[in-house]
């Protein structure tokens, strides 16, 4: 059974940092493109970043502040978030990409940026 | 402001059919075969319902169908059931670079 479990969310101050992790199981992690997608309170979904092998791409809203990475040996995906802003407050989902479709999502981890 | 435009809400009675629209541009929906629909029950993980505009993943009921015309994609749910009540989001690959989503549509089964 495919499972994606996010962790690392919490309260951060504006300008601060957080590192999100996603533990994957039930599939060959290294074979898949992985994404982070977020949903701000009362808002729609927003794609944040993806990593495909060594290639990474970011939404303009997080470019230069967030870094996506993966450790295939540990079946883990990460999102390093720096220079956090209030508008980064959201539930962050770890998402598997199967041929241009997000076929499995984690339950999400809440990030709140507030002083 | 989401990149793709969806109605905020739709409703229907059990057994009826409803259609949710998703309007984008020539840079995303109009130029992409990678249009998807997701069902989201609050507090749970979103679920893929349609991919590649019209395809259903294994295990998704054939009551769900997708289509596209120009810059607008649509999700149709026939034979509405109580468990269909949820938020529905569309998503499209844009400019072969990144993904964009709609703001979501709350489906109420009356």
């Amino acid at each position: 059974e495919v499972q994606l479990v996010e962790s690392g969310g919490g309260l951060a101050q504006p300008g601060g940092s957080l590192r999100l992790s996603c533990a994957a199981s039930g599939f060959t992690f290294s074979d898949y493109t992985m994404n982070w997608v977020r949903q701000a309170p009362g808002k729609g979904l927003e794609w944040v970043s993806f990593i495909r092998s060594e290639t990474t791409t970011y939404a303009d809203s997080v470019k230069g502040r967030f870094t996506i990475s993966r450790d295939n040996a540990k079946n883990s995906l990460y999102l390093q978030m720096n220079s956090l802003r209030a508008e980064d407050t959201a539930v962050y989902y770890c998402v598997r990409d199967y041929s241009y479709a997000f076929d499995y999502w984690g339950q999400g981890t809440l990030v709140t940026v507030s002083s | 402001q989401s990149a793709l435009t969806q109605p905020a809400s739709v409703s229907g009675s059990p057994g009826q059919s409803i259609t949710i629209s998703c309007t984008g541009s020539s840079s995303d929906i109009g130029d992409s075969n990678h249009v998807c629909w997701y069902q989201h029950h609050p507090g749970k993980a979103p679920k893929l319902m349609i991919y590649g505009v019209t395809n259903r993943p294994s295990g998704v009921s054939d009551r769900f169908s997708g289509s596209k015309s120009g810059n607008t994609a649509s999700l149709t749910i026939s034979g509405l059931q109580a468990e269909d009540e949820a938020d529905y989001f569309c998503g499209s690959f844009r400019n072969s670079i990144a993904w964009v989503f709609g703001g979501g549509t709350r489906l109420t089964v009356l």
Side-chain angles (χ1 to χ4, degrees):
Chain A
E1 179 194 5
V2 172
Q3 284 198 317
L4 299 168
V5 180
E6 303 93 339
S7 60
L11 178 64
Q13 294 204 332
S17 299
L18 278 177
R19 189 194 194 209
L20 305 184
S21 299
C22 171
S25 61
F27 64 103
T28 304
F29 181 71
S30 58
D31 285 350
Y32 290 84
T33 296
M34 297 297 297
N35 296 258
W36 288 99
V37 175
R38 68 185 180 183
Q39 185 176 27
K43 304 290 186 182
L45 298 173
E46 180 187 16
W47 170 80
V48 172
S49 179
F50 76 66
I51 183 166
R52 178 184 297 136
S53 295
E54 301 300 318
T55 300
T56 59
T57 303
Y58 299 91
D60 288 343
S61 59
V62 307
K63 202 172 294 183
R65 300 187 298 121
F66 290 11
T67 302
I68 191 172
S69 62
R70 65 193 298 164
D71 184 335
N72 290 335
K74 293 184 177 179
N75 292 333
S76 292
L77 178 72
Y78 306 101
L79 186 68
Q80 178 66 44
M81 304 186 295
N82 298 331
S83 302
L84 283 164
R85 306 167 180 167
E87 54 264 36
D88 295 319
T89 294
V91 174
Y92 284 72
Y93 295 98
C94 169
V95 187
R96 189 179 86 165
D97 185 332
Y98 177 71
S99 191
Y100 297 95
F102 294 171
D103 65 342
Y104 283 97
W105 299 60
Q107 295 274 13
T109 186
L110 176 62
V111 171
T112 303
V113 183
S114 174
S115 54
Chain B
Q1 194 89 5
S2 296
L4 306 179
T5 301
Q6 298 180 233
S9 63
V10 297
S11 62
S13 300
Q16 288 186 331
S17 294
I18 63 95
T19 296
I20 299 171
S21 62
C22 172
T23 301
S25 70
S26 57
S27 297
D28 37 66
I29 292 177
D31 188 45
S32 177
N33 291 321
H34 304 303
V35 178
C36 299
W37 289 91
Y38 302 92
Q39 178 190 65
H40 189 202
H41 289 102
K44 294 193 173 182
K47 178 183 177 182
L48 177 67
M49 305 302 285
I50 297 288
Y51 68 96
V53 181
T54 61
N55 302 295
R56 275 188 313 276
S58 174
V60 172
S61 170
D62 60 4
R63 297 185 298 106
F64 291 81
S65 62
S67 63
K68 186 183 87 165
S69 177
N71 297 337
T72 298
S74 298
L75 173 71
T76 298
I77 309 173
S78 59
L80 270 179
Q81 298 179 2
E83 63 258 33
D84 298 333
E85 186 162 292
D87 296 324
Y88 290 85
F89 292 91
C90 58
S92 174
F93 209 46
R94 169 181 277 183
N95 287 337
S96 301
I97 298 173
W99 286 93
V100 290
F101 291 99
T105 298
R106 172 65 57 88
L107 169 61
T108 300
V109 180
L110 302 170

